[in-house]
Amino acid sequence: MSATQPNLSAPQRSRKPLSVMLRRIPGWVGVALILLTVIYPMFWILMGSFKTQPEFLSEPFWALPQQWNLDNYVSAFVEGGLGTYIKNSVLAVFPSLGLILLFGTAAAYALQILVWKGRSLILVLFLAGIMIPTQMILLPLFTVYFNVGITSTIWPLIITYTAIGMPLTVFMIATFMRAIPSEVFEAATLDGANVYRIFWNITVPLVKNAIFTVALVQFFFLWNDLLIALTFVTKADLRTIQVGLLNFTGQYGAVDYGPLFAGISVTVFGTLALYIFLNKKVMAGMTSGAVKG
Amino acid sequence: MDSVFRNRGATLLMLTPALLVYTVVMLIPIVWSVTYTFQSGNAVTGFEFVGFDNWIAFFGDATAMDALWFTLRYAIVMTTLQVAAGYGLALLYIFFLRNKSSLVRATIFFPVILPTVAVALMFSRMFEAAPTAGPVNTILMWLGGDLTDFLGDPGYSFWVIIIMDVWRSMGFYAVLLYAGLVEIPQDIMESARIDGASGWKLVRKIVFPLSLPILLSSIIFSINGTLKVFDSIVALTNGGPGSATTPLTLYMFRTSFAYGQYGYGSTVAFMLTLLCLIATVFVFRSMRKDVTR
């Protein structure tokens, strides 16, 4: 994109005149303000995680902490049980993620590459699941989990997460498989590869990036889930990180700011660390999921 | 080559796991949920057939109507604001920041992947009035305003939710719309410039019409997401004060799990599903005329 004003004069790209630079100042101030509203709340939480309770109550909000120690973090983990919550989230999310990717990729191959009657109908059936609100499946599932007697385990979360992730995963990976040129498959068949070999040694490597992208989208979706965890977690020591954070306030009776801010900081900056490594992929994945979904 | 891919055994093997999980955990419960709408009771006490009583009760239930109205109001306001904010940012990225926008894009996108519960806790502290005035109240009092209990007032708490969710989602819609805007061919823009279009005129006459398809996707995606709003409201206001900020999703959750009325809860969930379907079809129909004009 070049300038918004018509640039009819001879190219003068090397140095912009001062007046143009000055005219851009309000724009830059606007950008700075937007960035400030995004960054400041997180900075405030981080600073808060080092403050003591009296500092919260008597100092103004912009004051920096008077000490830099990890007391609040220690009490968030020890008394608040943050460690248990993180462990539960890991135990629920990663097995589901593995199953979603395994089943989803295989099904996408069966629906997009393999040839059989009715495959487009099944693909639409998967697609329909994207729009249905989760509330629609909670009650029957709860009844079943209750009757089978697994409500006090992590299994209801793993089973439900695996199913919830399926529609978008199948649909997105199938879309990426559609983009593989058919010559690739022709060449593979001529070389005598069978259908499983073509899946594992040719198709999967070609959509490797797509699988990784889908994995990221599903990870954030499941990791940040509140509704399903809130419904199926009936025991305090099975709480995932989101449910745990939600109950953080209640547990301390009167709001104990320090540990709460420490708990929020751990989740926010843990996510930030992951995001800094993967930001391009995250953005591409989240938005392509939206358009195609 | 066809014979390799016409493989019944392989199709069954690869499709079955995904389809089985999807059918058992999603499709069957959806149908099952619909049958619940004709019953009363719950998993513990057993069920009783009541015909259309739940449906009739839904339309005569003032709380349900409030929840429906809240859901609609939230969806309309949120869709307008988040798509508008996203479009504004996308234009900013393209016309102002140009090729220097990637860091700004990444920063504004970051709140999208943050756990909603953490963001909600952060915002409830920012807008707090007691026991200590949060940043927003401090600044307002500094400017001569009164201490306002934002989350204790039905009118204000709606807007706090809106502000928070726009903060959370604007980066997402910005990247989504940006991806659509960069695909507008350069030569169209150039020839419009040579014809004398610049600034707002260029945006209004050239950029906006060409970005209608991606706007349509954004709006459909946004409506579908906002009608299902749950996490941010549970964590920020928990539906309060009173039931002033209770959407259908939360009302369904309350009736089902707090009061044990599975039949009525399913009816609310079913109404929500219908609402999502109708909204999607409606937006799609009304917008498509514009797009293909």
Side-chain angles (χ1 to χ4, degrees), chain A residues 17-39:
Chain A
L18 190 67
S19 65
V20 173
M21 304 254 284
L22 279 176
R23 236 186 307 156
R24 287 174 67 81
I25 285 179
W28 281 110
V29 172
V31 171
L33 278 177
I34 297 171
L35 289 179
L36 190 70
T37 58
V38 171
I39 295 166

Side-chain angles (χ1 to χ4, degrees), chain A residues 23 50 73 89 91 100 112-113 115 121 126 133 148 153 164 224-225 273 286 292:
Chain A
R23 236 186 307 156
F50 296 106
Y73 288 88
S89 272
L91 284 180
I100 288 174
Q112 190 63 51
I113 308 295
V115 182
L121 186 76
F126 272 108
V148 176
T153 67
I164 289 271
N224 294 342
D225 161 72
M286 300 290 262
K292 282 154 194 157

Side-chain angles (χ1 to χ4, degrees), chain A residues 140-161:
Chain A
L141 289 181
F142 193 83
T143 310
V144 172
Y145 296 146
F146 179 79
N147 288 333
V148 176
I150 52 170
T151 41
S152 57
T153 67
I154 202 92
W155 284 105
L157 289 186
I158 297 179
I159 296 168
T160 319
Y161 283 163

Side-chain angles (χ1 to χ4, degrees), chain A:
Chain A
M1 296 286 149
S2 61
T4 42
Q5 60 271 41
N7 202 353
L8 296 174
S9 54
Q12 292 179 323
R13 293 204 176 257
S14 53
R15 184 175 282 173
K16 288 173 188 160
L18 190 67
S19 65
V20 173
M21 304 254 284
L22 279 176
R23 236 186 307 156
R24 287 174 67 81
I25 285 179
W28 281 110
V29 172
V31 171
L33 278 177
I34 297 171
L35 289 179
L36 190 70
T37 58
V38 171
I39 295 166
Y40 186 75
M42 292 182 255
F43 174 77
W44 181 64
I45 291 286
L46 182 66
M47 291 302 108
S49 70
F50 296 106
K51 292 182 187 174
T52 59
Q53 189 76 355
E55 280 181 84
F56 274 106
L57 298 176
S58 54
E59 299 285 322
F61 75 87
W62 63 82
L64 293 179
Q66 287 159 1
Q67 63 284 311
W68 300 93
N69 57 47
L70 297 177
D71 288 358
N72 288 329
Y73 288 88
V74 171
S75 81
F77 274 94
V78 176
E79 291 146 44
L82 200 60
T84 318
Y85 302 150
I86 293 175
K87 187 197 78 189
N88 289 335
S89 272
V90 168
L91 284 180
V93 169
F94 285 96
S96 321
L97 202 56
L99 289 175
I100 288 174
L101 294 177
L102 183 69
F103 293 175
T105 311
Y109 182 76
L111 289 165
Q112 190 63 51
I113 308 295
L114 297 182
V115 182
W116 47 284
K117 224 176 142 187
R119 60 178 189 166
S120 51
L121 186 76
I122 302 288
L123 193 59
V124 170
L125 194 67
F126 272 108
L127 191 56
I130 296 176
M131 205 172 52
I132 303 288
T134 313
Q135 272 81 1
M136 207 53 199
I137 62 169
L138 290 182
L139 292 171
L141 289 181
F142 193 83
T143 310
V144 172
Y145 296 146
F146 179 79
N147 288 333
V148 176
I150 52 170
T151 41
S152 57
T153 67
I154 202 92
W155 284 105
L157 289 186
I158 297 179
I159 296 168
T160 319
Y161 283 163
T162 306
I164 289 271
M166 213 55 85
L168 190 63
T169 306
V170 170
F171 191 69
M172 278 176 75
I173 296 182
T175 311
F176 284 107
M177 284 181 180
R178 195 176 304 151
I180 302 174
S182 60
E183 288 85 357
V184 171
F185 297 109
E186 277 163 32
T189 25
L190 288 179
D191 288 346
N194 73 17
V195 68
Y196 301 107
R197 230 186 122 85
I198 293 175
F199 173 68
W200 194 249
N201 291 355
I202 293 169
T203 314
V204 169
L206 280 175
V207 292
K208 200 175 56 194
N209 274 329
I211 295 176
F212 182 71
T213 308
V214 174
L216 272 180
V217 175
Q218 297 291 358
F219 170 77
F220 283 115
F221 178 73
L222 298 181
W223 188 261
N224 294 342
D225 161 72
L226 181 65
L227 176 59
I228 294 166
L230 208 55
T231 309
F232 296 128
V233 171
T234 48
K235 274 169 60 186
D237 59 351
L238 281 177
R239 281 176 184 158
T240 61
I241 178 103
Q242 309 311 332
V243 182
L245 264 188
L246 194 61
N247 286 288
F248 233 65
T249 19
Q251 202 163 354
Y252 286 91
V255 184
D256 198 355
Y257 288 96
L260 176 64
F261 276 42
I264 302 172
S265 286
V266 169
T267 50
V268 167
F269 292 96
T271 317
L272 179 64
L274 191 61
Y275 182 59
I276 286 173
F277 278 114
L278 303 167
N279 102 61
K280 285 261 163 57
K281 293 250 182 222
V282 176
M283 277 206 268
M286 300 290 262
T287 45
S288 73
V291 179
K292 282 154 194 157

